[in-house]
């Protein structure tokens, strides 16, 4: 087994996750089984408890793990499904060590950062079995938070001398004279050397391609080969990055360093998709009515899902973000489609309900996800059926709780289960939009929620024209709903955006993009 470790220098926010995902893509394209793992320095056990404004989107895996959004990049770029072992945090490591200490597993020993925490980290990394384990260390070298992880990796790299390769991603600023400056990179490489880690490949994030002189200077001062310094310039689309790195021969250099057999990576299909993203024949405007629109990372997987569905339809999807608390229906008039994403709490819910009403009444293609499905049902119950309806998440005493926590689910949550998390099967009814899009009788999609459609209202809502097109196999949980007769009005309890890939776009996003495009062309 081989290990590739990617560290970051100078600045955070360089897009290290995307670079790591791109390296993963190159390894995959060379036919190596690769498992990525993200190390996060924060003390939260996982990001599930963090506000999206703090941390961006919480990315949910098939097994229900709530993880860092970089795992979304890995899954999308590498077209794989990961499990919770691919994300470790300071919190997770310390919790496990402290649990062991309380059980007496350390047999009276003093429990210390070295060796107990470092060994725990090593144990976590060694759980992953693959040709190559690709490790991203979050933050920048020198952060106190990730010191112990770097120490653990250093120790591992000594034990497995021939199996480790360190890649350092750094920042190359351009100053007013137009010069590319290498000093920050020299300093951060030195900092890494001071910790006993020698990077063998340096990737310089820069506005532009690295100049030959920049490359040479970094190579000389950081002690790496000229050809092992490569540039990762700003791009208009992240899916270009694997191609840019491969052009600089990253794949063959990795093979060379790790003594792996080089097989030229296959990128034809990927190039095809990238071309479609770059110069599509059509374009549409989609509005996203959400609560965290100030930070696009809060809806990262949704943003990417639109790129995937757009590329498949030869169409650019221009996204317009609307803060649901401030929205006016006039704002929505120019849109070809509307999406209401998931969310928690009451802020902005009434604005979302108004957006759904506008989409329903004006035959504008609409997709509701999770809370977006809840508001679609509340809107229908209120304005079509005339009920004083709400979700008990917002109003516990409402006359018609069309969305509620179901008694069975309540039992699970009382026992400490925090939410319904991860992939669950969903059975689709034939002759529905859902079935036409998925082309299957049973699907599996990922969830993250507590509240469900209240079964007491299902018959009534269906009699009034809504159609529940997807249900849990036992028929108790409503997973999908649609409005027959509308151009495209679909909502789902799960999050289809977590499984969308460039090579395999999420069917519900495809449906929305197609319907929006059709509407625009016919107008
Ligand atoms: N807040 C809602 C619930 O817990 C919806 C969650 C979501 O949209 N992910 O059920």
């Amino acid at each position: 087994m081989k290990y590739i470790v990617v560290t970051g220098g100078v600045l955070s926010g360089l897009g290290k996750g995307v670079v790591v995902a791109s390296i993963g893509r190159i390894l995959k394209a060379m036919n190596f089984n690769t498992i990525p793992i993200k190390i996060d320095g924060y003390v939260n056990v996982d990001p599930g408890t963090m506000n999206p404004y703090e941390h961006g989107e919480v990315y949910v895996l098939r097994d229900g793990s709530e993880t860092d959004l970089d795992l979304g990049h890995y899954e999308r770029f590498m077209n794989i499904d990961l499990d919770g072992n691919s994300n470790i945090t300071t919190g997770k490591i310390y919790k496990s060590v402290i649990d062991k200490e309380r059980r007496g597993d350390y047999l009276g020993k003093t429990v210390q950062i070295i060796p107990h925490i470092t060994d725990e980290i090593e144990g976590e990394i060694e759980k992953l079995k693959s040709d190559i384990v690709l490790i991203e260390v979050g933050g920048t070298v020198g952060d106190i938070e990730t010191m112990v992880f770097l120490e653990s990796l250093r120790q591992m790299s000594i034990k497995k001398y021939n199996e480790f390769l360190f890649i350092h991603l750094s920042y190359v600023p351009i100053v007013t004279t137009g010069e590319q400056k290498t000093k920050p990179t020299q300093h951060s490489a030195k900092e890494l050397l001071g910790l006993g880690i020698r990077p063998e490949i340096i990737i310089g994030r820069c506005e532009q391609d690295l100049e030959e002189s920049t490359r040479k200077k970094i190579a000389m001062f950081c002690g790496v080969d000229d050809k092992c310094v490569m540039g990762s310039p700003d791009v208009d689309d992240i899916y270009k990055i694997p191609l840019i790195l491969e052009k600089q021969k990253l794949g063959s250099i990795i093979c060379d360093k790790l003594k792996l057999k080089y097989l030229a990576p296959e990128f034809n299909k990927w190039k095809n998709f990238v071309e479609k993203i770059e110069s599509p024949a059509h374009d549409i405007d989609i509005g996203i009515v959400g609560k965290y629109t100030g930070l696009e990372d809060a809806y990262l997987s949704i943003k990417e899902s639109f790129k995937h569905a757009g590329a498949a339809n030869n169409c650019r999807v221009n996204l317009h973000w609307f803060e649901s608390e401030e929205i006016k229906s006039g704002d929505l008039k120019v849109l070809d489609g509307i999406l209401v994403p998931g969310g928690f709490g009451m802020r902005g819910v009434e604005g979302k309900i108004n957006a759904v009403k506008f989409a329903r009444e004006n035959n504008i293609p609409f997709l509701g996800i999770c809370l977006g499905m809840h508001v679609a049902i509340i809107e229908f119950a209120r304005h079509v059926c005339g009920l004083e309806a709400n979700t008990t998440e917002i109003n516990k005493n409402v006359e018609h709780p069309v969305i509620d926590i179901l008694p069975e689910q309540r039992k699970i949550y009382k026992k400490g289960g925090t939410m319904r998390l991860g992939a669950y099967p969903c059975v689709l009814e034939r002759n529905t939009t859902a079935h036409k899009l998925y082309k299957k009788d049973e699907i599996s999609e990922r969830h993250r929620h507590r509240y469900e459609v209240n079964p007491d209202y299902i018959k009534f809502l269906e009699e009034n024209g809504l159609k529940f097109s997807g249900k849990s196999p036992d028929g108790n949980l409503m997973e999908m709903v649609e409005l027959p007769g509308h151009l495209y009005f679909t909502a789902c309890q799960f999050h289809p955006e977590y499984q969308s890939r460039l090579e395999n776009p999420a069917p519900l996003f495809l449906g929305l993009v197609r319907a929006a495009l059709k509407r625009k062309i016919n107008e």
Side-chain angles (χ1 to χ4, degrees):
M1 267 173 63
K2 307 284 184 184
Y3 297 86
I4 299 176
V5 181
V6 184
T7 54
V10 187
L11 291 181
S12 62
L14 292 178
K16 180 150 39 79
V18 175
V19 169
V20 172
S22 301
I23 297 172
R25 181 72 213 189
I26 293 171
L27 296 172
K28 191 178 166 189
M30 293 192 300
N31 251 336
F32 293 116
N33 274 326
T34 305
I35 301 186
I37 174 168
K38 171 82 194 280
I39 292 175
D40 282 308
Y42 48 73
V43 185
N44 303 61
V45 172
D46 64 43
T49 53
M50 277 187 246
N51 180 323
Y53 271 130
E54 291 280 320
H55 187 261
E57 155 185 277
V58 175
Y59 190 77
V60 179
L61 304 181
R62 205 159 53 172
D63 68 1
S65 303
E66 297 174 280
T67 67
D68 184 73
L69 54 75
D70 280 334
L71 274 85
H73 288 308
Y74 307 160
E75 286 202 336
R76 287 188 284 270
F77 275 65
M78 299 170 73
N79 198 10
I80 49 172
D81 285 322
L82 298 170
D83 65 29
N85 289 329
S86 278
N87 197 187
I88 58 179
T89 64
T90 298
K92 195 168 170 185
I93 297 291
Y94 272 75
K95 183 173 185 304
S96 164
V97 169
I98 291 170
D99 287 347
K100 284 185 190 164
E101 186 274 333
R102 291 290 85 186
R103 280 201 310 266
D105 291 5
Y106 294 109
L107 305 172
K109 284 257 183 275
T110 306
V111 180
Q112 293 180 296
I113 291 181
I114 300 171
H116 300 100
I117 296 289
T118 43
D119 284 355
E120 187 71 27
I121 294 168
E122 190 172 330
E124 279 298 310
I125 293 173
E126 289 199 325
K127 273 188 192 162
L128 302 176
K129 304 279 177 242
S130 184
D131 296 342
I132 300 175
V133 177
L134 176 61
I135 305 165
E136 174 182 353
V137 184
T140 38
V141 171
D143 294 348
I144 291 177
E145 294 199 307
T146 46
M147 273 311 182
V148 63
F149 291 100
L150 290 174
E151 170 57 17
S152 179
L153 290 165
R154 184 194 67 82
Q155 292 179 13
M156 280 181 85
S157 74
I158 287 173
K159 284 186 242 168
K160 301 177 198 275
Y161 180 68
N162 288 319
E163 329 297 339
F164 261 76
L165 170 64
F166 286 93
I167 299 180
H168 190 55
L169 177 76
S170 181
Y171 178 52
V172 178
I174 298 175
V175 288
T176 37
T177 53
E179 223 184 322
Q180 298 182 348
K181 302 302 275 184
T182 64
K183 193 70 94 188
T185 301
Q186 296 177 38
H187 279 300
S188 77
K190 266 200 195 112
E191 180 119 30
L192 206 46
L193 282 171
L195 298 172
I197 290 173
R198 192 170 74 84
E200 291 186 69
I201 297 175
I202 293 187
I203 302 178
R205 273 286 291 115
C206 184
E207 248 174 73
Q208 310 160 341
D209 286 325
L210 293 190
E211 282 157 17
E212 207 38 44
S213 56
T214 310
R215 220 183 263 270
K216 287 220 157 77
K217 217 166 174 183
I218 292 176
M220 185 169 71
F221 283 104
C222 302
V224 302
D225 289 345
D226 279 10
K227 64 175 192 331
C228 296
V229 179
M230 42 198 81
S232 178
D234 287 357
V235 280
D236 48 12
D237 196 85
I238 54 174
Y239 294 102
K240 286 184 184 164
I241 297 172
L243 303 174
I244 291 173
L245 293 176
E246 188 40 33
K247 215 170 151 199
Q248 300 172 81
K249 307 218 168 2
L250 182 61
S252 81
I253 292 172
I254 288 175
C255 289
D256 204 32
K257 299 267 173 207
L258 286 172
K259 314 258 173 312
L260 293 166
K261 200 169 139 25
Y262 175 68
L263 187 76
E266 206 277 297
F267 269 118
N268 290 340
K269 219 167 141 198
W270 190 267
K271 276 188 193 146
N272 232 332
F273 285 123
V274 170
E275 271 160 28
K276 279 201 205 137
I277 292 181
E278 192 159 35
S279 43
H282 312 279
D283 75 313
I284 52 171
D285 294 284
I286 300 278
I288 298 184
V289 181
K291 181 164 122 176
Y292 312 106
T293 51
L295 181 74
E296 289 184 21
D297 264 5
Y299 301 110
L300 183 64
S301 294
I302 289 180
K303 214 168 96 182
E304 296 307 315
S305 300
F306 274 119
K307 275 192 216 160
H308 308 159
N313 282 292
N314 202 2
C315 171
R316 172 171 296 120
V317 182
N318 304 313
L319 297 180
H320 304 270
W321 304 89
F322 296 97
E323 192 61 33
S324 47
E325 239 179 341
E326 295 154 13
I327 198 157
K328 295 175 221 64
S329 348
D331 298 341
L332 304 173
K333 282 216 170 79
V334 292
L335 298 172
D336 303 309
I338 293 174
L339 179 136
V340 178
F344 291 83
M346 65 186 293
R347 187 170 69 80
V349 165
E350 291 302 320
K352 291 180 192 176
I353 293 173
N354 286 337
V356 176
K357 182 167 186 274
F358 185 79
R360 184 179 55 75
E361 289 177 342
N362 295 286
N363 213 14
I364 296 177
F366 164 81
L367 175 60
I369 295 176
C370 206
L371 184 66
M373 164 156 142
H374 297 171
V375 295
I377 287 170
I378 296 167
E379 192 281 321
F380 190 84
R382 281 189 192 172
H383 303 128
V384 178
C385 312
L387 302 183
E388 199 227 302
N390 212 331
T391 159
T392 53
E393 183 176 5
I394 291 172
N395 181 355
K396 297 247 171 310
N397 305 315
V398 67
E399 196 182 339
H400 295 287
V402 288
I403 308 293
D404 199 1
I405 298 188
L406 305 191
E408 278 309 298
Q409 303 291 107
R410 205 176 286 275
K411 274 189 228 154
I412 303 171
Y413 303 140
K414 271 205 178 127
K415 280 193 196 140
T418 52
M419 274 195 255
R420 187 166 169 237
L421 284 167
Y424 284 91
C426 163
V427 176
L428 301 182
E429 189 159 320
R430 299 229 165 141
N431 300 319
T432 57
T433 304
H435 195 277
K436 272 183 211 128
L437 286 169
Y438 279 94
K439 301 185 184 74
K440 271 190 214 160
D441 293 334
E442 189 175 314
I443 58 169
S444 167
E445 291 275 14
R446 301 182 193 173
H447 295 246
R448 182 173 187 251
H449 65 109
R450 282 189 197 91
Y451 292 80
E452 310 270 356
V453 180
N454 185 340
D456 296 346
Y457 290 91
I458 291 166
K459 193 158 165 267
F460 175 78
L461 291 167
E462 289 210 313
E463 281 165 3
N464 280 279
L466 268 190
K467 175 82 202 149
F468 289 96
S469 45
K471 297 178 186 168
S472 59
D474 63 9
N476 290 338
L477 305 176
M478 300 302 110
E479 302 282 30
M480 294 181 78
V481 68
E482 56 194 61
L483 187 61
H486 191 283
L487 200 52
Y488 184 82
F489 189 100
T490 310
C492 50
Q493 185 58 80
F494 48 77
H495 289 268
E497 70 271 26
Y498 293 137
Q499 294 191 152
S500 184
R501 312 275 195 262
L502 197 50
E503 294 122 310
N504 201 6
L508 295 180
F509 280 84
L510 279 177
L512 178 62
V513 169
R514 260 183 230 148
L517 191 57
K518 200 163 143 194
R519 183 175 186 274
K520 181 171 182 183
I521 290 170
N522 288 343
E523 244 174 15

